[in-house]
Every structure is written in structure tokens, then in C-alpha cells.
Amino acid sequence: MVSLRSLVLLPAFIASSYALIFAVDSSQLVSEATYAKAKSEGFTKAVIRGYEEACGVGGQVDPNFVSSYKNARAAGITNIDMYWFPCNGSGNKCKSYATQLSEIASTFSANKMDIGTIWIDLEKDSTCNNFNYGTSGNQAQAKSIISAMKATGFKFGIYSSPGEWSTLFGSESFNLDSSAPLWFANWNNVETVALSTPFGGWTSAVGHQYTDVSASGLFDLNVFTS
């Protein structure tokens, strides 16, 4: 999830067998006014980073999560998901995955948050040197993440891309949990959820992050099926 640059892209609504929902996602603090502007341009869903690696402290709830959530709601966006960037890496003293998820759950409860899906962000990060356990070790870590998530009962999905998948797990064909919904990244400016490069056992997706460019510089832009 990277910061964006300066070009405005308005959604071009696509005729299909289902109605696509246009969404913004962000890892930064977003004001009510910025969300309101996005909503006026047709973006009716928000995905907010709720938990960050913060490998120096073992992972933490994103300090901007609650404020951005409240700003999105105040702007009239009620379809809100979050993403979890798990802390791991052999050189980091990360909290257990169960503890990371417990902190997320406590934040939901304390702030009466209505979150649809928790997206597990699976990608390599050179700053924290996460997923550095080797192919089999990375696969085992990812399975532990999924097990911890399933124990919470939260609705969840997976965010990644074919390239990241291969980097983490040694092969695009590694099947972690293809029964989970997939939100994939491919910055091709194609506003469809069609998965042109199947990976991880998925042949279809429910979300597509199609560009990292937005007018505010705060958003990635996406389409979802719900």
C-alpha cells in the first residue's frame, strides 16, 4: 500500500453482470472533506489500514485508523473495510498473531466500529524485512496467520498480487486459502475484477486495486463486487 501521486481518475462505470463498487484505500490520515470529495466522484467504499507492522514495537493499531474511520462515516461512506499488515520477521520481536488480532478487536469494540471485511495484507516489506523465513517457513507463517484469523470469527479476505505471492511463497501456485475472497493489486488502470493472472488457487477475485494514483495523493483506487 503506497502513497499516491497527483492525477485524478474518475470511475468509468462498466456494464457487466454485476454492479461494481468503486473504493478508495489509504494508509494515511484522511480528512472528512477528502472522503466527501471522493464520494462525490463515485467512490462509495473505503478500505483503511487498521493495523500496521510497526516492527519496532511488535505491531500496532494504526494511529490514524479510528480518526480516518470516523471521517469516512461523517462523509457518508458506510461501506468500510480495513486491512491488517501483520508484523512478522525473524529479526523482529512481533506480538503473536492472536495478540495483534486481539488489539484490532478491542479497537472495534472501544469505538463501536462497523467493519465489513478484514483484509490480510500479504506482501514483502524491505523496511521490516518481514517474511524472511525461507519458502517453507513463509508458507508456515502465512498458515499461522490464517489460523489466527479464523479463530476470531471475523470476516476476512486476502490482499496480494501474483508477484508478491511468488516472492513470499516461492510459487504463484501455492494455495494458502483460496476459499477466502481475494483483493488483488495490478496497477493497469483497468476497472474490472477480472483476474488475468490466476494465482494462489484463485481464478476469480472480488476486488482489484487498479491504480496508485489519485488527486489527493492519499488513495489507491479500486473496484469491488460488494
Side-chain angles (χ1 to χ4, degrees):
M1 306 286 180
V2 300
S3 299
L4 309 182
R5 296 185 290 273
S6 61
L7 182 68
V8 62
L9 291 178
L10 301 183
F13 293 93
I14 303 168
S16 65
S17 58
Y18 50 80
L20 289 177
I21 294 171
F22 284 79
V24 291
D25 76 82
S26 185
S27 60
Q28 302 178 61
L29 178 62
V30 181
S31 69
E32 179 183 343
T34 300
Y35 275 125
K37 182 69 162 58
K39 186 171 185 289
S40 74
E41 294 171 348
F43 294 91
T44 58
K45 180 182 179 77
V47 187
I48 305 169
R49 185 173 68 187
Y51 201 95
E52 59 184 353
E53 285 181 291
C55 49
V57 296
Q60 68 180 11
V61 173
D62 190 310
N64 295 319
F65 177 41
V66 173
S67 293
S68 287
Y69 171 85
K70 290 180 177 178
N71 288 341
R73 299 272 312 181
I77 297 176
T78 57
N79 184 350
I80 302 175
D81 295 348
M82 65 148 280
Y83 71 91
W84 169 36
F85 202 154
C87 180
N88 69 28
S90 62
N92 303 318
K93 295 181 179 179
C94 293
K95 301 165 187 172
S96 70
Y97 298 131
T99 297
Q100 294 180 50
L101 286 164
S102 176
E103 292 180 356
I104 291 170
S106 294
T107 302
F108 288 173
S109 178
N111 295 280
K112 297 181 172 58
M113 303 174 86
D114 184 4
I115 299 293
T117 297
I118 298 177
W119 296 97
I120 304 170
D121 187 344
L122 296 179
E123 60 181 307
K124 184 69 176 172
D125 171 41
S126 59
T127 300
C128 284
N129 195 23
N130 65 338
F131 284 105
N132 63 342
Y133 308 96
T135 297
S136 60
N138 286 350
Q139 293 178 2
Q141 288 292 319
K143 289 175 182 177
S144 294
I145 289 170
I146 295 296
S147 293
M149 178 61 83
K150 287 184 173 178
T152 67
F154 286 131
K155 180 180 178 181
F156 76 94
I158 294 172
Y159 166 89
S160 195
S161 69
E164 291 288 352
W165 206 256
S166 182
T167 296
L168 294 184
F169 306 124
S171 170
E172 290 180 4
S173 64
F174 170 66
N175 192 326
L176 175 60
D177 185 355
S178 59
S179 66
L182 173 67
W183 169 30
F184 73 99
N186 182 7
W187 296 339
N188 59 4
N189 291 312
V190 178
E191 297 165 357
T192 172
V193 295
L195 187 60
S196 58
T197 304
F199 69 99
W202 290 286
T203 56
S204 62
V206 302
H208 174 201
Q209 186 182 77
Y210 62 83
T211 184
D212 68 336
V213 178
S214 74
S216 67
L218 297 174
F219 295 132
D220 300 314
L221 307 183
N222 309 265
V223 284
F224 284 85
T225 58
S226 63

